[in-house]
């Protein structure tokens, strides 16, 4: 055993951390709030147990949820003088066991090769589905298979289990059962197993009773003998299969420490549940519970917002600040999305000019489709950025859409090549016919209504809608634009995105931000239908959306900016969660102050737009647009976008020159629709 000084391991810990580190035996549950130093506690507790002779280093297993976290834990333990401690994910440790013991229960055959990904096999099966279902994203089907396997549900049992639990698959249940069964058979024919099988087969190995043969039983006993002291990080994200495997690893022993935060449970869609964390003491009578509530990351002002968000849900938990006071977080309302983007760019520029490195600034959004407009705004402002995760123009549906665009008009004569609004309508038609694109209806708040399928299907639909929106902007700027011109516009945007793949402002989703932190965090588009997302139709789903916002708030060290817009493609309402954040703080403290601002000053035109939105003139303009679109056989936005109708209602032109000066009209629209529009504006004066 390396020489470790127990006193040194305790020297710089706060009282709660020290209590957690000293609790080296028996069942222990550590509730670690955001920024409370849980990685330090896990590594120090492990070192302290070894230093005090509680457990030999080679009998320790620290379980993490990602390979990255496992590597970081290994490095942390090595820095403490413990290079031989095992830190692995559930899957990595199961793989090491199966490789050793698989031949004993399979006639000497080696462990089958692992599939790198389910998606190629599932993709082929998805394309064989009938009708529109053939466009179902493979990831949605893979996620549902993972959910089932996490509960050890076979294809033949899926329909009953899903029905009992109110589970809705991304496609009709009979089709999903067919895909699930075909996937398992295709995998078997290929002689492969997937990552879910690693856990399933390890559980089977350890559950096997004496009737299975002495070699298998001995294997299980050997597995349990090699590791006897367990520590599990991110325990709130454990699924039923992982929990069962942990129980089997533990056997009849009780040296188990679990560490987690139920308020950061944001992966329930994968089968994770915080029930194992919150019910730990009930399952392990006599277990010690320790709460780490001191936050070493964020200012008191930021933590006050996070605490207020939890309190609004009836939670008594409070993060206790340790850092000095900082700037008050801001919550801003803007007239429209353009104004919000302008503020985001200005805020980012001010932070950089004030000494905050661009790499220490993050913009968090709910879904990836919200990222491209931010990319474009930062590109125009020459602010470097980095997209963390798959970039927009790398998405397969976006690549497919742009391939379809380039084929439009191929082989036609020059006079037949579509341009302008005809090009936009033709592009829209190809996306519907070849990619199964179905534009989502808009709810009263202007947010997308419930879309068919799973989360990936909704993301796919949003991305294709954004492709059309970008095309519409290009057409509005150049009314005679052709296929080559529109493709060049997309190429320029893709190049700008690729250039932003290095260091700079971080652009990512709330989910990807888990476990990260920055000096400054900006949270735009906090609106009903976006956060909480419109598909959050149950109390449990809304609670998870609230936890997403909590994760977002607690990523910030010093600067925090929240915002929403009254209008995008339609009128929007602020997220219901903002009401809790704007409550007045207690009189005895200034730490909870938050600056609630109306956003960038609204000029008279913008104020008029808001007032005129439901006016008789807007109603008449919308009716005209609907009738004209039906007559021309094109989507309504090809005739006139909402923004153009709002501008017309705001300015109320009565002459052709006045109408022609409105951005978005252009010569072709003026010639085609000018007299009809003026007839409406004159009648409604």
């Amino acid at each position: 055993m390396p020489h470790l000084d127990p006193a040194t391991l305790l020297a710089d810990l706060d009282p709660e951390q020290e209590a957690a580190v000293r609790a080296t035996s028996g069942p222990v549950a550590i509730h670690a709030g955001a920024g409370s130093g849980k990685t330090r506690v896990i590594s120090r507790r492990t070192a302290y147990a070894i230093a005090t002779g509680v457990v030999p280093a080679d009998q320790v297993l620290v379980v993490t949820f990602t390979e990255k976290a496992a590597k970081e834990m290994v490095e942390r333990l090595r820095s403490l003088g413990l290079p031989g401690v095992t830190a692995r994910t559930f899957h990595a440790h199961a793989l090491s066991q199966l490789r050793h013991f698989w031949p004993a229960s399979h006639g000497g055959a080696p462990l089958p090769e692992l599939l790198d990904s389910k998606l190629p096999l599932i993709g082929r099966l998805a394309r064989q589905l009938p009708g529109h279902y053939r466009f179902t994203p493979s990831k949605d089907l893979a996620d549902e298979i993972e959910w089932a396997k996490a509960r050890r549900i076979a294809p033949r049992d899926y329909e009953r289990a899903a029905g009992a639990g109110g589970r809705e698959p991304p496609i009709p249940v009979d089709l999903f059962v067919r895909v699930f069964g075909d996937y398992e058979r295709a995998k078997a024919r290929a002689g492969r197993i997937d990552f879910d099988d690693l856990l399933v087969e390890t559980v089977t190995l350890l559950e096997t009773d004496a009737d299975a043969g002495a070699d298998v039983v001995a294997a299980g006993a050997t597995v349990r003998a090699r590791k006897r002291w367990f520590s599990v990080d991110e325990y709130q994200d454990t699924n039923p299969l992982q929990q069962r495997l942990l129980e089997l690893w533990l056997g009849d022993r009780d040296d188990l420490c679990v560490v987690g935060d139920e308020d950061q449970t944001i992966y329930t869609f994968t089968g994770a549940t915080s029930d194992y964390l919150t019910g730990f003491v009930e399952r392990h009578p006599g277990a010690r519970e320790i709460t780490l509530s001191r936050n070493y990351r964020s200012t008191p002002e930021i933590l006050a917002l996070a605490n207020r968000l939890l309190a609004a849900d009836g939670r008594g938990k409070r993060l206790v600040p340790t850092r000095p006071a900082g700037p008050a977080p801001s919550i801003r309302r803007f007239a429209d999305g353009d104004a919000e983007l302008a503020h985001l760019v200005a805020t980012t520029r001010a932070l950089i000019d004030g000494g905050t490195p661009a790499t220490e600034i993050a913009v968090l959004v709910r879904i990836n489709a919200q990222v491209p407009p931010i990319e474009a705004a930062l590109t125009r402002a020459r602010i470097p950025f980095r997209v963390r995760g798959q970039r927009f123009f790398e998405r397969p549906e976006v690549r497919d859409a742009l391939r379809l665009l380039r084929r439009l008009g191929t082989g036609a004569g020059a006079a037949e090549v579509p341009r302008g609004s005809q090009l936009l309508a033709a592009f829209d038609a190809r996306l519907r016919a070849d990619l199964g694109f179905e534009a989502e209806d808009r709810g009263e708040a202007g947010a997308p209504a419930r879309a068919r399928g799973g989360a990936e299907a909704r993301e796919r639909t949003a991305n294709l809608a954004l492709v059309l929106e970008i095309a519409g902007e290009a057409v509005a700027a150049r009314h005679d634009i052709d296929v080559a011109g529109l493709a060049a516009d997309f190429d320029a945007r893709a190049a700008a995105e690729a250039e932003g793949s290095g260091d700079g402002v971080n652009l990512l989703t709330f989910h990807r931000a888990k476990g990260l932190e920055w000096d400054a965090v900006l949270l735009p588009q906090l609106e009903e239908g976006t956060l909480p997302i419109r598909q959050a139709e149950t109390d449990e789903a809304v609670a998870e959306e609230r936890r997403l916002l909590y994760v977002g708030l607690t990523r910030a060290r010093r600067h925090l900016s929240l915002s929403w817009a009254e209008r995008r493609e339609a009128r929007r309402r602020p997220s219901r969660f903002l009401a809790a954040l704007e409550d007045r703080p207690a009189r005895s403290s200034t730490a909870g102050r938050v600056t609630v601002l109306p956003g960038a000053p609204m000029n008279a035109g913008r104020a008029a737009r808001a007032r005129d939105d439901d006016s008789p003139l807007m109603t008449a303009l919308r009716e005209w647009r609907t009738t004209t679109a039906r007559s021309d056989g094109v989507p309504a936005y090809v005739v006139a976008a909402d923004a153009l109708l709002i501008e017309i209602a705001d300015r109320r032109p009565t002459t052709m020159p006045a109408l022609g000066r409105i951005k978005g009209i252009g010569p072709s629209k003026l010639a085609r629709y000018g007299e009809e529009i003026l007839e409406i504006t004159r009648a409604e004066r």
Side-chain angles (χ1 to χ4, degrees), residues 25-70:
S25 299
V28 180
I30 300 174
H31 300 274
S36 62
K38 71 178 177 68
T39 305
R40 166 184 283 198
V41 167
I42 294 171
S43 58
R44 294 287 186 90
R45 180 179 178 274
T46 303
Y48 191 81
I50 296 169
T52 55
V54 171
V55 62
D58 62 352
Q59 292 189 9
V60 170
L61 176 62
V62 179
V63 181
T64 65
F65 264 75
T66 66
E67 292 289 350
K68 179 175 179 287

Side-chain angles (χ1 to χ4, degrees), residues 178-200:
R178 188 177 88 186
V179 170
F180 190 2
D182 288 346
Y183 167 73
E184 291 296 306
R185 285 185 286 274
K187 181 160 55 74
R189 286 195 300 271
R192 299 292 188 91
I193 60 173
D194 61 27
F195 281 91
D196 303 311
D197 295 328
L198 290 180
L199 303 191
V200 172

Side-chain angles (χ1 to χ4, degrees), residues 15 19 37 150 167 169 197 317 323 391 458 520 537 606 614 641 651:
R167 183 80 177 181
D197 295 328
K317 172 181 172 180
R323 295 191 59 186
R391 298 197 294 264
R458 296 192 293 270
E537 297 177 337
R606 283 178 177 155
D614 299 318
R651 298 195 184 188

Side-chain angles (χ1 to χ4, degrees), residues 411-435:
E416 298 175 316
V417 175
R419 293 175 177 269
S421 59
Q422 288 76 26
L423 171 58
L424 192 59
F427 190 25
D428 181 294
R430 292 314 324 151
L431 294 184
R432 293 173 186 274
D434 291 15
L435 298 184

Side-chain angles (χ1 to χ4, degrees), residues 288-308:
R288 279 171 286 184
E289 278 192 293
I290 300 166
T291 298
L292 307 181
S293 58
R294 299 177 199 240
N295 178 283
Y296 295 91
R297 176 186 300 157
S298 307
T299 63
E301 292 80 4
I302 291 171
L303 295 184
L305 259 66
N307 290 337
R308 201 174 293 156

